[in-house]
Amino acid sequence: MAEKSAKPAKRLSSDSNSHEGAAAGEISALEEAFRKFAVHGDTRATGKEMHGKNWSKLCKDCNIIDGKNVTTTDVDIVFSKIKGKSVRTITFEQFKEALQELSKKRFKGKSDEEALQEMYKLIEGKGPGLTGVTKTVASPTVSRLTDTSKFTGSHKERFDASGKGKGRAGREDLVDNSGYVSGYKHAGTYDHKVQGNK
């Protein structure tokens, strides 16, 4: 079983070495795209390994999945086939193997080498798209509801003149333990009066 998985890797490396000098720029752009998709949505990712979710996103965003020759099911099957048994990620070398597998299905009328080059062209220079991301809406209704200068009643007491929240002081009546009654305006001036008379 181990020999079977080692043979495609050798074949891939010999294939990639034959055109590496001519297409070195393409391979570096491919690796850059791999790293962009590998770190997408995962703050702990290093960019050296890609999860199945990001592999599927790469295939969708780069139009590898066309709905006819290559479907999402094909993409998932190839990912499961390429990755190790107890591993959830693929490396860049395994990524190239997976592309080689999918290129045969995606570009049926072309030779293996031409199909692989076409697959590289689909991916190079691409990054993860932000489709479906929720954007904030600046409608007059929302701005009226969030404008603190128009608040009334007890809600008005929760914000200062600049619109910044007062925190706990705005939510609760804090007890003044200074020793003065609440209406006394000259709190803290006793020492000044006593020292001024002497």
Side-chain angles (χ1 to χ4, degrees), residues 5-198:
S5 63
K7 285 183 183 178
K10 285 181 184 178
R11 186 185 60 198
L12 177 68
S13 63
S14 65
D15 288 347
S16 62
N17 287 341
S18 63
H19 69 278
E20 192 166 336
E26 292 177 16
I27 291 176
S28 64
L30 182 71
E31 190 166 4
E32 184 181 336
F34 170 82
R35 288 185 179 174
K36 283 180 184 177
F37 278 98
V39 298
H40 179 71
D42 189 5
T43 55
R44 296 173 296 165
T46 61
K48 294 180 181 177
E49 294 180 333
M50 183 182 286
H51 287 280
K53 171 182 67 87
N54 291 355
W55 162 251
S56 294
K57 180 164 182 59
L58 179 140
C59 292
K60 285 176 191 164
D61 289 359
C62 295
N63 297 324
I64 292 171
I65 297 173
D66 61 356
K68 295 177 184 174
N69 297 329
V70 178
T71 63
T72 53
T73 307
D74 296 326
V75 167
D76 292 337
I77 289 170
V78 167
F79 183 82
S80 297
K81 190 167 136 183
I82 296 296
K83 74 174 182 65
K85 293 276 184 203
S86 61
V87 185
R88 299 177 128 185
T89 58
I90 57 171
T91 63
F92 182 64
E93 292 302 318
Q94 290 171 322
F95 169 73
K96 289 196 295 189
E97 276 184 60
L99 288 180
Q100 191 171 17
E101 287 279 328
L102 283 177
S103 68
K104 293 173 190 170
K105 289 190 85 163
R106 178 74 161 82
F107 303 102
K108 286 184 178 175
K110 298 188 178 184
S111 69
D112 288 353
E113 188 63 32
E114 287 176 351
L116 190 60
Q117 289 304 318
E118 289 292 323
M119 189 69 83
Y120 287 171
K121 285 179 187 173
L122 287 175
I123 298 170
E124 288 167 358
K126 300 264 178 85
L130 298 176
T131 55
V133 176
T134 306
K135 294 188 174 33
T136 58
V137 178
S139 70
T141 307
V142 174
S143 63
R144 188 175 66 244
L145 291 172
T146 57
D147 185 7
T148 58
S149 65
K150 295 183 174 147
F151 286 1
T152 59
S154 62
H155 303 294
K156 187 176 187 178
E157 304 299 322
R158 295 180 57 201
F159 300 93
D160 60 10
S162 68
K164 185 176 179 187
K166 292 181 180 177
R168 186 174 171 210
R171 291 190 307 269
E172 298 174 4
D173 290 332
L174 300 177
V175 179
D176 183 18
N177 292 331
S178 64
Y180 293 97
V181 291
S182 62
Y184 187 65
K185 305 234 188 278
H186 304 291
T189 60
Y190 177 76
D191 291 336
H192 180 63
K193 288 182 182 177
V194 172
Q195 290 176 354
N197 291 338
K198 288 187 180 178

